[in-house]
Amino acid sequence: MSRKRIGAEAVAEKGWLAAHRWLILRRLTQLGILALFLLGPLAGIWIVKGNLNYSYTLDFLPLTDPFIALQSALAGHLPETLGIVGVVIVTLFYLLFGGRLYCSWLCPINMVTDAAGWLRRRLGIKGSAHISRSTRYWILGVALLGSALLGDVLWELVNPVSMLHRGLFFGMGVAWTVVLVVFLFDLFVMNRGWCGHLCPVGAFYSLLGHWSPVRIAAPARQACNDCMDCFEVCPEPQVIRPALKGEARGIGPVILAANCTNCGRCIDVCSKEVFTFGMRFNNPVSTLPPVAPVTD
């Protein structure tokens, strides 16, 4: 007997639109941001100038990627005043709302890896290479150290996001190859491999937003029916279990893990309305007695 479609219960209970609300908002945001960047060169309407590394909106709002700025500073190239202002604005935003928000709501490569994950499930592709999730932090360290030693922004030499942006402006060329490699890697080699195990950008933003107050929580976790749909759709499924299943161990319902991307898919696919957006401070510890460890 084939397994039910992920989110089918949520669609039946809440309707298709409510069961895809956050996914739709994310796609509109990602595509809308790309459209704003393309309006200038394609239509001569310069609402936003630049790219996701540095942009200037409506001729007054600078936004600078702090990861790029840090690499640049280590390479000996300090940003100008507007660049520094942009770093401060973006850093404060992600400190408040969570750094991995970049991965799920802004990064265009997220659409590529999500498509690979969807197709992987539809084709029933099993098995996966094993690469530790900590690898992305090692790659982050190499990018920062390499920038300092080589005097150049090292990650920008291979960054798929930057290549995709340049490709959309000037013709895809080699960018298609890079995007295709990421897609095929996630499809055939490793489920959620690029974003979940290799990309140093996500690693950087997880550190930046580690203490951000806006979080996803499972306040109705006692209603969970163990359908596992939230684990199936979550790009970082390891972050769910403590909040969802940790009541007996005195763990609160808020997902505190820095690698939660605040994508909202767990909210979408849950037919029992277990998850919602909330604040990390609203995290009541369970009053149930801790579970005694199992001994042989």
Side-chain angles (χ1 to χ4, degrees):
M1 182 178 179
S2 61
R3 189 190 186 279
K4 67 176 178 62
R5 185 74 59 85
I6 296 171
E9 292 182 11
V11 172
E13 291 289 332
K14 304 188 292 187
W16 189 91
L17 188 61
H20 294 82
R21 177 180 54 179
W22 293 107
L23 177 60
I24 293 170
L25 288 174
R26 282 172 51 219
R27 293 294 177 254
L28 290 175
T29 301
Q30 291 164 327
L31 294 172
I33 289 172
L34 282 178
L36 287 174
F37 282 120
L38 290 171
L39 273 177
L42 295 182
I45 303 174
W46 295 96
I47 298 175
V48 180
K49 302 174 183 177
N51 53 43
L52 284 176
N53 294 337
Y54 176 78
S55 63
Y56 200 45
T57 303
L58 296 174
D59 291 327
F60 82 93
L61 179 63
L63 298 173
T64 307
D65 183 342
F67 180 45
I68 299 298
L70 178 57
Q71 291 178 84
S72 180
L74 290 173
H77 310 294
L78 294 177
E80 298 181 357
T81 301
L82 277 178
I84 294 174
V85 172
V87 169
V88 172
I89 293 172
V90 173
T91 300
L92 290 176
F93 177 84
Y94 286 126
L95 286 175
L96 179 62
F97 294 104
R100 291 296 304 274
L101 197 76
Y102 170 88
C103 302
S104 60
W105 288 81
L106 276 75
C107 178
I109 296 298
N110 170 257
M111 292 186 285
V112 176
T113 57
D114 275 3
W118 175 85
L119 185 58
R120 182 184 178 94
R121 290 192 298 270
R122 293 300 299 269
L123 295 177
I125 297 175
K126 305 295 182 183
S128 179
H130 176 72
I131 300 175
S132 171
R133 291 185 181 275
S134 64
T135 302
R136 52 188 162 189
Y137 293 98
W138 287 103
I139 296 175
L140 171 62
V142 169
L144 296 176
L145 181 61
S147 295
L149 294 177
L150 300 177
D152 199 357
V153 182
L154 185 60
W155 179 244
E156 280 308 283
L157 301 177
V158 295
N159 186 358
V161 176
S162 298
M163 289 187 177
L164 179 59
H165 263 257
R166 287 194 294 269
L168 291 173
F169 283 119
F170 306 113
M172 291 300 288
V174 72
W176 279 121
T177 303
V178 174
V179 173
L180 181 61
V181 167
V182 171
F183 177 81
L184 293 177
F185 178 77
D186 270 29
L187 178 60
F188 292 115
V189 179
M190 189 173 191
N191 187 33
R192 305 186 184 101
W194 176 255
C195 296
H197 297 78
L198 297 179
C199 181
V201 180
F204 174 83
Y205 278 112
S206 73
L207 298 176
L208 181 61
H210 185 81
W211 298 106
S212 62
V214 178
R215 297 282 175 170
I216 287 180
R221 58 187 175 183
Q222 291 181 345
C224 175
N225 61 356
D226 291 319
C227 72
M228 299 298 292
D229 282 358
C230 58
F231 286 91
E232 291 289 341
V233 299
C234 181
E236 301 280 351
Q238 77 280 1
V239 309
I240 295 178
R241 187 169 296 278
L244 186 62
K245 300 294 184 181
E247 183 175 16
R249 292 174 173 79
I251 300 174
V254 176
I255 297 177
L256 296 175
N259 272 308
C260 176
T261 67
N262 278 2
C263 68
R265 282 298 283 150
C266 57
I267 302 174
D268 283 344
V269 302
C270 182
S271 63
K272 301 301 181 183
E273 303 282 7
V274 167
F275 299 95
T276 186
F277 278 101
M279 304 294 287
R280 71 177 301 128
F281 313 110
N282 185 22
N283 194 27
V285 176
S286 173
T287 56
L288 294 177
V291 173
V294 176
T295 58
D296 295 331

